[in-house]
Amino acid sequence: AQSVTQLDSHVSVSEGTPVLLRCNYSSSYSPSLFWYVQHPNKGLQLLLKYTSAATLVKGINGFEAEFKKSETSFHLTKPSAHMSDAAEYFCVVSPWQGGKLIFGQGTELSVKP
Amino acid sequence: EPEVTQTPSHQVTQMGQEVILRCVPISNHLYFYWYRQILGQKVEFLVSFYNNEISEKSEIFDDQFSVERPDGSNFTLKIRSTKLEDSAMYFCASMLLAGGSSYNEQFFGPGTRLTVL
């Protein structure tokens, strides 16, 4: 069975400092992995996706994630946080294209001025 | 830019009542999904729908739940007799089925908050 574990329920950073949101996955075969973001009172928006192409994936708003098979990780990073990055972030795995998405527990990112 | 819409944004109902949550997927999309998120818990898959039938469903999606695409634009989730534990945010998503190796993204609506009293 596939699953994802987000290692932090809440991360707080100062504006302009780097962001690291951690995610580990469990999969019996090559997974498709995603990061979604949810701003308050908004729907879930795809930030980036890994689908067995390049291991370093670039997404929107300056975010990127690196797929590391040896560590079963897919951590999300951004060099410099902006106030507008404050939101809930979900690491997601999909067993097959078009199939259900399996969500992690979510990480709430706070950005301090 | 096309988007998935959901109505109502908030629904309050009494336990035992039927509710219908409505979604309008993106117009040329062919796969449709419902997910839910109970407060403080992770987002959970409920059901996927393609070609006018359920393609996959979770253990949560029991006989109290049903989905329908009554016309060419709406996609509905019906809960026949609501329970207190059905209180959650319900998200609809849709996806374009495209050929080749390009990945198809699921686009989510803003959600309907269901409160069962």
Side-chain angles (χ1 to χ4, degrees), chain B residues 5-115:
Chain B
T5 59
Q6 291 185 242
T7 54
S9 57
H10 191 190
Q11 172 94 46
V12 181
T13 189
Q14 295 290 326
M15 190 170 55
Q17 295 296 304
E18 174 183 286
V19 295
I20 297 176
L21 309 183
R22 291 184 166 79
C23 168
V24 179
I26 294 172
S27 63
N28 60 342
H29 285 191
L30 298 176
Y31 277 93
F32 312 108
Y33 308 82
W34 283 101
Y35 295 82
R36 79 172 186 189
Q37 184 180 28
I38 295 171
L39 189 63
Q41 299 185 22
K42 62 174 71 176
V43 178
E44 304 171 289
F45 167 78
L46 292 178
V47 65
S48 59
F49 191 85
Y50 170 69
N51 199 25
N52 281 320
E53 60 183 25
I54 291 173
S55 49
E56 187 177 7
K57 62 182 181 179
S58 71
E59 294 175 351
I60 303 166
F61 194 87
D62 61 21
D63 292 345
Q64 291 300 309
F65 292 88
S66 62
V67 289
E68 191 177 33
R69 188 153 162 82
D71 52 41
S73 60
N74 290 282
F75 179 52
T76 61
L77 174 70
K78 181 193 290 187
I79 308 175
R80 288 189 182 80
S81 178
T82 50
K83 307 184 188 72
L84 295 175
E85 54 265 37
D86 293 328
S87 294
M89 180 74 89
Y90 288 80
F91 293 104
C92 173
S94 71
M95 186 185 75
L96 170 69
L97 180 66
S101 61
S102 63
Y103 178 78
N104 294 269
E105 175 186 345
Q106 292 187 27
F107 290 83
F108 283 80
T112 293
R113 180 165 298 284
L114 176 65
T115 303

Side-chain angles (χ1 to χ4, degrees), chain A residues 2 27 29-32 34 93-97 99-102, chain B residues 56:
Chain A
Q2 295 195 323
S27 176
Y29 45 88
S30 184
S32 293
F34 317 90
V93 65
S94 179
W96 59 276
Q97 186 171 175
K100 64 184 178 185
L101 299 181
I102 300 166
Chain B
E56 187 177 7

Side-chain angles (χ1 to χ4, degrees), chain A residues 3-7 20-26 31-36 46-59 63-77 90-94:
Chain A
S3 65
V4 288
T5 301
Q6 291 182 244
L7 300 171
L20 170 64
L21 304 183
R22 299 181 295 164
C23 172
N24 287 113
Y25 70 90
S26 172
S32 293
L33 290 160
F34 317 90
W35 278 96
Y36 277 81
L46 182 66
L47 268 182
L48 50 79
K49 59 182 182 280
Y50 166 78
T51 55
S52 74
T55 56
L56 182 61
V57 181
K58 293 188 185 299
F63 284 94
E64 60 182 41
E66 186 172 6
F67 174 74
K68 291 186 176 180
K69 187 175 180 179
S70 60
E71 299 176 10
T72 61
S73 69
F74 190 58
H75 300 335
L76 181 70
T77 60
F90 295 94
C91 184
V92 180
V93 65
S94 179

